[in-house]
Amino acid sequence: MFRFGVDYYPEQWPEERWEVDAQLMSDAGFNVVRLAEFAWVKMEPQEGVFDFNWLDRAIEIFNQKGISVILGTPTASPPPWLAHKTPEILRVREDGQRVAYGARRKNCPNHPIYRERSRSITNTMAEHFAGNTTVIGWQIDNEFGDRCYCDICRKEFQTWLQQRYGTLDELNTRWGTVFWSHTYSDWEQISLPLSTLGAPPNPSLALDFRRFMSDTYIAFQQEQIEILRSKCPPHFITHNLMGFGYGGLDYFDLAKPLDFVSWDNYPIGFWHEGKYTPSSAALSHSAMHGLKDKNFWVMEQQAGPSGWQTVSFTPRPGVLRLWAYQSIAHGADGVVFFRWRTARFGAEQYWHGLLEHDGRAGRRYNEIKQMGAELIRVGNQILGAETKSKVAIIQSYHSRFAFQVQGNSDEFSYEKHLAQIYSALWKRNIGVDVVSSTATLFKYDLVIAPALHVLTDEIAANLLDYVRSGGTLVVTPRTGVKDIANVVVNQPLPGLLADVCGVVVEEYDAITPDLTQAITFDVDELAGQSLPVQTWCDILLPQGAEVIAHYAQDYYAGKPAATRNQFGQGQAIYLGALGTDAFYESVLGWLLSQKGIKSSFEAPADVEITVRWQGDKRLLFVLNHHSETQDLTLDALYFDLLSGRTVTGLVTLAPREVLILTVVK
Ligand code: GLA
Ligand code: GLA
């Protein structure tokens, strides 16, 4: 069943209202609710005293309406009794200060008492709800993240390092601790990368601490997974991740033990300079899909204006539905709105739900109700349909963490670099998988590895095998700079990829915004094009590669700026400079035409087209992100699942209109 629903907090509303809410949900076509992920104190009002009666009654009301339940384990918001009794469960920030009780996600993820109470509530919930047939699955905790710098974490970090490096000699060598006399003679001497160090820590220590914290949350999650798997075998287990924008955890590792990934999609956050950038939400969808190469859910889909202290603009008519369909267009098999009714109290009074504060079901509710009716008709035709991309972008959390530690340039952002490349493909309606550096790549015609900073032999071998067997790999600056311990490699850049690229970096120039540079291409349809570049310029020295572009200015005018190397059956392109949007649009346009990769048909800007495959049946999602009508010329005779119309030739899309097309045979 295609799952469509809402996040609901029965504990925040009078019990007489539950039935009314459940009826309105059922009227909207909802078939699932997520409950309880912040209700620890309602379920365990005192340590060891549990009360699930209220939740049983709420679940029974949903059962009566045919609405299934996902339960959240409530460990993101430990109750006051726990923090009061053991204040050390509260997290210590990077500046060494312990946070005060009063919000959520304020706990140290390593504190043994917090861990023990978390296992206890999870275990008790699991036992209680194991036999409840309305419950179908679990969300573990809520949006894992935040590093803790307390003494317990320091000790755990030391143990983690011991396991990773075995001996102190090994750690000292790999980290280069001889620098500034940091050579450790006892594991206990290793400190945390606190901001109170007064200067940046050893980059190796700082990167490993990020890995350690990421592993901490994965281990914490694993404890709950084991409890839930053993007590509730039929139930699925997921966690709500935060999309591409959050870089604090290795989401590939976090996603591994989950049945599927879900994530929280708030497109209002992607509003820049008065304009919504739908490619940002698309990138998050692709990145979340890529974590398991599998369809996903949106566990929190925007339901109204956002806001904690202040209120965002209100989503215009048709926008919430459009955004929710965009999730589906990229592979969501479940969409759950956050939240049902706008809270009257607490920190999120201005984070709007589908219903108003006073419980009225107005414009937003009606819009989503329309979608609910549509999904009752078409949901099963979409459910499970796969996305199939010919292009992949590699995302690396090792590299992200390394860039968090050393930005390389004030103008550089790994996330923006990747988003720029994604957006250039998105604008042409080319489906993109965002995958890990160790993913199987053979199915892709084109793989782009933006700033793949940290390389291992395994990653390099994966990329080499791909090119050797006929793939086209695109590499950009700051690739292959670091080893896994965050130490600069002892060979010319791009390090382990120099052979496959047939080129080395002779010298580089991290240019500031007041320095201009451009590169001129000499190849195919790019020949003669001069494109401005920015932020970083690698001056290249070919070692067998063909030069396809030169720098235009400064002392390295005329020097190679981009190369192409035949390697085995494939080729590796080295783009030596970071570009503007126009640069990536031109260069990727050239590469796509070289590889014969096209979208289904041409569309105006910001009319998004994605494809999902139900077996060999192609579902084309057409999403008009404009507030005005747009004309589109279809390439065949199609049936639109949503309107039930047959369409062909010139079609005028209404503002924010969505079509789901299948070819009429
Ligand atoms: C100062 C210090 C050196 C080195 C340089 C560059 O001059 O004395 O040890 O740190 O700055 O950072
Ligand atoms: C996140 C959280 C929700 C809620 C929303 C809106 O996605 O998971 O609990 O706080 O943000 O702020």
Side-chain angles (χ1 to χ4, degrees):
M1 177 189 302
F2 192 97
R3 291 294 180 176
F4 194 57
V6 75
D7 301 315
Y8 185 54
Y9 301 92
E11 69 277 19
Q12 298 176 10
W13 305 103
E15 194 160 337
E16 320 71 272
R17 174 74 193 197
W18 297 355
E19 176 84 32
V20 177
D21 285 333
Q23 186 58 50
L24 282 166
M25 289 178 201
S26 164
D27 294 346
F30 289 169
N31 54 33
V32 70
V33 286
R34 181 194 64 182
L35 306 177
E37 85 281 8
F38 293 113
W40 192 338
V41 81
K42 274 291 276 189
M43 295 187 282
E44 190 180 4
Q46 292 171 49
E47 183 166 351
V49 178
F50 296 94
D51 175 14
F52 298 112
N53 290 328
W54 65 276
L55 191 49
D56 289 337
R57 294 197 299 277
I59 292 173
E60 182 47 30
I61 288 174
F62 289 114
N63 177 40
Q64 295 298 324
K65 306 285 179 204
I67 295 173
S68 303
V69 168
I70 298 164
L71 289 172
T73 65
T75 43
S77 61
W81 55 252
L82 179 51
H84 185 69
K85 184 176 158 203
T86 316
E88 298 75 29
I89 71 146
L90 295 169
R91 191 165 67 82
V92 170
R93 299 189 311 213
E94 197 172 351
D95 63 1
Q97 289 285 319
R98 196 177 290 284
V99 303
Y101 185 81
R104 63 172 174 184
R105 277 247 76 79
K106 291 295 177 198
N107 54 278
C108 163
N110 275 310
H111 196 285
I113 293 177
Y114 168 73
R115 292 282 274 255
E116 190 262 311
R117 293 319 307 162
S118 293
R119 285 191 300 272
S120 164
I121 182 72
T122 303
N123 193 61
T124 316
M125 276 182 91
E127 281 176 354
H128 185 85
F129 294 106
N132 189 319
T133 51
T134 307
V135 176
I136 56 170
W138 296 83
Q139 172 190 299
I140 291 181
D141 201 279
N142 191 81
E143 293 188 341
F144 282 129
D146 287 335
R147 291 185 291 275
C148 176
Y149 294 76
C150 76
D151 281 343
I152 289 170
C153 288
R154 184 169 54 82
K155 289 210 171 64
E156 291 291 332
F157 180 46
Q158 290 162 351
T159 307
W160 184 92
L161 290 169
Q162 228 164 323
Q163 281 160 5
R164 187 174 175 88
Y165 292 97
T167 66
L168 267 180
D169 272 356
E170 178 69 9
L171 178 142
N172 282 321
T173 308
R174 299 300 306 276
W175 284 13
T177 53
V178 70
F179 193 85
W180 284 351
S181 257
H182 288 174
T183 306
Y184 302 107
S185 52
D186 190 322
W187 294 99
E188 288 188 16
Q189 294 162 1
I190 301 173
S191 55
L192 297 180
L194 287 154
S195 57
T196 49
L197 291 178
N202 180 323
S204 301
L205 176 140
L207 175 57
D208 269 341
F209 184 65
R210 281 171 161 74
R211 290 192 180 113
F212 157 72
M213 265 297 147
S214 182
D215 283 359
T216 292
Y217 282 103
I218 288 155
F220 178 79
Q221 175 179 262
Q222 192 58 33
E223 286 184 354
Q224 296 196 15
I225 289 177
E226 277 159 24
I227 293 166
L228 295 169
R229 292 245 183 265
S230 78
K231 303 267 148 112
C232 309
H235 296 166
F236 65 71
I237 301 175
T238 188
H239 170 72
N240 57 334
L241 292 80
M242 291 183 268
F244 177 71
Y246 184 72
L249 299 175
D250 188 326
Y251 272 173
F252 288 111
D253 287 346
L254 190 75
K256 226 169 267 165
L258 301 173
D259 291 307
F260 57 85
V261 162
S262 53
W263 80 281
D264 298 344
N265 180 21
Y266 294 106
I268 281 184
F270 302 132
W271 214 279
H272 300 294
E273 293 161 1
K275 196 174 176 295
Y276 163 63
T277 50
S279 72
S280 300
L283 167 57
S284 270
H285 288 308
S286 299
M288 296 299 98
H289 185 281
L291 296 177
K292 291 180 81 74
D293 189 18
K294 192 174 173 180
N295 289 349
F296 56 91
W297 283 35
V298 172
M299 196 59 93
E300 299 183 14
Q301 175 78 37
Q302 186 130 23
S306 335
W308 285 21
Q309 314 309 92
T310 58
V311 183
S312 80
F313 62 89
T314 198
R316 294 335 200 215
V319 161
L320 295 175
R321 172 177 169 274
L322 172 71
W323 289 346
Y325 271 119
Q326 188 193 24
S327 301
I328 298 173
H330 284 273
D333 273 344
V335 175
V336 180
F337 289 88
F338 182 90
R339 49 185 273 153
W340 174 242
R341 177 170 167 184
T342 315
R344 292 187 43 240
F345 40 67
E348 296 192 343
Q349 290 169 24
Y350 295 128
W351 199 286
H352 290 69
L354 290 174
L355 267 52
E356 309 302 338
H357 287 103
D358 58 16
R360 265 175 308 130
R363 176 178 69 81
R364 298 191 301 277
Y365 169 83
N366 285 321
E367 181 174 317
I368 297 312
K369 183 179 175 184
Q370 177 200 330
M371 185 172 176
E374 289 160 356
L375 286 171
I376 288 171
R377 281 193 294 112
V378 308
N380 282 341
Q381 296 178 66
I382 300 169
L383 182 70
E386 293 172 2
T387 58
K388 288 183 190 167
S389 304
K390 292 190 167 139
V391 181
I393 296 178
I394 290 177
Q395 183 200 189
S396 154
Y397 285 96
H398 293 298
S399 298
R400 274 180 99 160
F401 293 170
F403 284 127
Q404 288 164 16
V405 175
Q406 293 167 300
N408 280 244
S409 155
D410 290 344
E411 310 306 318
F412 177 70
S413 146
Y414 175 78
E415 289 75 17
K416 279 194 193 144
H417 180 43
L418 205 144
Q420 227 180 357
I421 291 170
Y422 184 91
S423 168
L425 295 160
W426 182 88
K427 282 186 178 156
R428 291 171 187 268
N429 286 312
I430 304 300
V432 180
D433 286 356
V434 177
V435 302
S436 88
S437 51
T438 51
T440 304
L441 300 172
F442 301 115
K443 63 180 171 182
Y444 301 110
D445 292 344
L446 178 63
V447 171
I448 303 154
L452 193 54
H453 202 52
V454 177
L455 281 185
T456 60
D457 290 334
E458 185 197 1
I459 296 167
N462 192 38
L463 297 174
L464 256 66
D465 286 349
Y466 167 70
V467 177
R468 195 179 283 122
S469 70
T472 295
L473 174 70
V474 179
V475 171
T476 73
R478 309 317 287 147
T479 292
V481 178
K482 296 285 191 125
D483 70 11
I484 195 77
N486 211 11
V487 164
V488 176
V489 295
N490 191 19
Q491 62 200 110
L493 302 183
L496 295 173
L497 294 185
D499 276 353
V500 65
C501 291
V503 72
V504 295
V505 177
E506 191 178 17
E507 200 186 345
Y508 45 69
D509 187 15
I511 55 175
T512 47
D514 54 313
L515 292 172
T516 60
Q517 184 56 275
I519 71 179
T520 309
F521 278 88
D522 330 311
V523 70
D524 302 324
E525 75 243 38
L526 291 179
Q529 270 204 54
S530 176
L531 295 162
V533 294
Q534 58 194 13
T535 309
W536 198 280
C537 300
D538 282 338
I539 302 159
L540 303 178
L541 188 62
Q543 315 263 291
E546 167 201 0
V547 176
I548 58 169
H550 293 89
Y551 285 105
Q553 289 166 36
D554 218 311
Y555 76 95
Y556 45 99
K559 291 258 191 182
T563 57
R564 174 168 61 184
N565 192 45
Q566 301 300 324
F567 184 88
Q569 304 296 305
Q571 53 176 346
I573 315 269
Y574 194 100
L575 299 176
L578 296 172
T580 58
D581 291 352
F583 173 90
Y584 294 108
E585 283 162 31
S586 291
V587 174
L588 289 167
W590 163 64
L591 280 167
L592 292 171
S593 70
Q594 292 291 301
K595 304 298 299 178
I597 306 168
K598 292 197 298 252
S599 74
S600 307
F601 43 79
E602 296 285 311
D606 284 347
V607 171
E608 183 176 11
I609 301 173
T610 74
V611 184
R612 286 181 68 170
W613 291 87
Q614 192 64 276
D616 54 9
K617 186 169 148 196
R618 192 171 58 138
L619 296 173
L620 273 166
F621 289 77
V622 179
L623 306 144
N624 179 12
H625 288 284
H626 291 269
S627 52
E628 299 98 37
T629 60
Q630 296 292 315
D631 287 339
L632 184 73
T633 306
L634 301 176
D635 63 331
L637 181 65
Y638 288 101
F639 177 72
D640 173 23
L641 264 52
L642 291 179
S643 65
R645 287 181 305 157
T646 302
V647 283
T648 191
L650 184 72
V651 176
T652 299
L653 299 169
R656 289 147 191 150
E657 185 167 1
V658 178
L659 310 176
I660 307 176
L661 304 177
T662 55
V663 171
V664 179
K665 294 258 160 63

